[in-house]
Amino acid sequence: MSTSENRTDAIVIGAGHNGLSCAGYLARGGLKVTVLERRDVIGGAALTEEFHPGFRNSVFSYLVSLLDQQVIRDLDLFQHGLELLQRPGGSLSILPGDHLYLPRDPASAQQALARFSAADAAAYPEFEDLLESLGDAIRVIATQVPPNFGGGLSDLWKVLGQANVLRKLPADRQADLAELMTMSIGDFLDRWFESDPIKGLYGFEGIIGNFVDPYAQGSAYVLLHHIFGQVDGRTGAWAYAKGGMGAITQAMARYCRSQGVDIRTNAAVSEVILDKGVAKGVVLEDGTALHAPVVAANCHPQILFGQLIDPALTPDRFAKRVAGWRSESATFRMNVALSELPKFDTVDHDENGLTAMKNTIDIAPSLDYIRAAYDDARMQGWSKAPVVSMCIPTLMDDSLAPPGGHVMSLFCQHFRRHLPDGRSWDDVREEVADHIIDTVAAHSPNFRQAIVGRQINSPLDIERKLNMVGGDIFHGTLHLDQIFALRPAPGHADHRMPVPGVYLCGSGAHPGGGVSGIPGRNAAQEILKDVKRRKVG
């Protein structure tokens, strides 16, 4: 390879969705960009694979909502092949001897809730209005770069602008926001509802990828994090990507290549090249050096400052912050290939039942159930009765399985990354997968015999395959001290790391995890500002 081929304007480490988003915006801004992916496939956690002959599914992330509408437009994702299939309703909760399905229509949702509590049915419209109005406000803040502690005039303007978003909310909604940011999901739901089914359904939203007791202070924020998304202008709605989540990153890659981006697989970075403390490029594991004045890292903060850059080269406070960065989702992820559609014993398999099953199907019947799942995992490594969230995308996308067949994703909590007594996930992953199958089969008599293949990703598998430390799907817990201007560290929420020329463009930056593309876009915009001002280059 010639010297000229080893020089570029910007290097992006990692071809996950945020890395591709960053690369797309940088190329759109006129830079020559090279993306380096250590695996043999692009996509990161937004990946579709055939896991059994004829059966494909999303491997890690599995639903679309947080994907930013501006990112979709700017990167021409629909024109590059992305198609979203909007689900017809909310969630279907499987209960002991019963079920709760919340349709999108408010009156129908109230009717469903009234079977369990007239008071809950009456409270539901205001609760939904609260979530929608706060989701709209949080979306604005989530899409903007946070102000830095100790920043200058521009940071002051950011504070004022983002405060103005909240100022526009009615006083009651401002108070609701403060409570959602600080309360536990359990206490918040107890204030609104009296019956277990609705509290279990929304309680799950507070522990998605979040290893906490549902009564842990601050856990309500994770609910808020998952409702700022949109599908077709509807706040909090969710959709399937036709062809699986890999369709998102494939569309991003097509856009990037149309802009001249060089995307390389099997190109693992071993270190960032520094010259007098300034980034000058990277060295690959095969010894190849690539030179660029900009290095944008779509990786976990502890990978960037631990494996690629010696944290001792950063200020002590920053190094301690990264060393203490908390990362553990306690998530176990499975796919199963099915010869027939599962039949849940409390759900009629008529037109209405099939409509309900096109949405998320949850086993989280109460807050007590969720709390027990946490307590079991904290003491024993995994839950005796796990929280399981299932999706059957083939009910809306028949391209993923042969005729008559189906695929199901299972997103499961809680499963510790580090097991007690020195046990390894390599030794127990099949046993735990069987345990999860048993949990579902207890509600679906034909489920076990319908399985013809399965794909397992334990917390250790997630860590190994995606370089997500602790198997953390968000690149770091979404706790109050690890979000907004504190993500990843005070003074560095604007994507600029303490090493000049290095930028964080992954989910370890604001607004955190989820397939949004926002960290990648915002990092690119900050990089382009610095290039224009000749702060790099």
Side-chain angles (χ1 to χ4, degrees), residues 496 503 526-535:
R496 297 172 178 87
Y503 301 78
E526 297 305 302
I527 291 167
L528 291 170
K529 288 178 186 176
D530 288 351
V531 170
K532 184 177 180 180
R533 297 167 183 164
R534 300 187 182 278
K535 290 186 177 181

Side-chain angles (χ1 to χ4, degrees), residues 181-221:
M181 293 294 295
T182 55
M183 290 180 70
S184 75
I185 187 67
D187 288 325
F188 183 75
L189 293 171
D190 285 342
R191 181 175 295 183
W192 277 91
F193 301 115
E194 64 181 19
S195 66
D196 283 338
I198 185 68
K199 289 194 281 188
L201 191 150
Y202 279 99
F204 168 67
E205 300 290 336
I207 58 99
I208 295 174
N210 188 24
F211 183 57
V212 294
D213 184 301
Y215 285 91
Q217 295 303 114
S219 57
Y221 169 73

Side-chain angles (χ1 to χ4, degrees), residues 10-63:
I11 292 169
V12 177
I13 302 172
H17 80 280
N18 275 315
L20 294 170
S21 172
C22 183
Y25 276 96
L26 291 176
R28 191 170 179 257
L31 299 191
K32 180 182 177 183
V33 183
T34 298
V35 179
L36 303 173
E37 169 56 48
R38 71 186 185 96
R39 302 188 72 200
D40 60 357
V41 293
I42 66 166
L47 175 68
T48 304
E49 283 184 348
E50 183 179 69
F51 65 96
H52 186 75
F55 293 83
R56 300 182 303 129
N57 202 10
S58 306
V59 181
F60 301 104
S61 59
Y62 55 98
L63 285 172

Side-chain angles (χ1 to χ4, degrees), residues 138 218 452 523:
I138 289 298
V452 296

Side-chain angles (χ1 to χ4, degrees), residues 134 173-183:
L134 293 185
R173 287 291 177 259
Q174 293 177 20
D176 290 332
L177 176 61
E179 291 174 349
L180 266 169
M181 293 294 295
T182 55
M183 290 180 70

Side-chain angles (χ1 to χ4, degrees), residues 19 24 74 89 179 206 235 246 249 305 310 343 366 384 417 481 507:
D74 288 347
E179 291 174 349
T235 297
T249 44
F305 293 99
D310 184 353
K343 295 180 173 62
S366 68
K384 295 178 184 176
R417 162 60 185 90
D481 62 334
S507 294

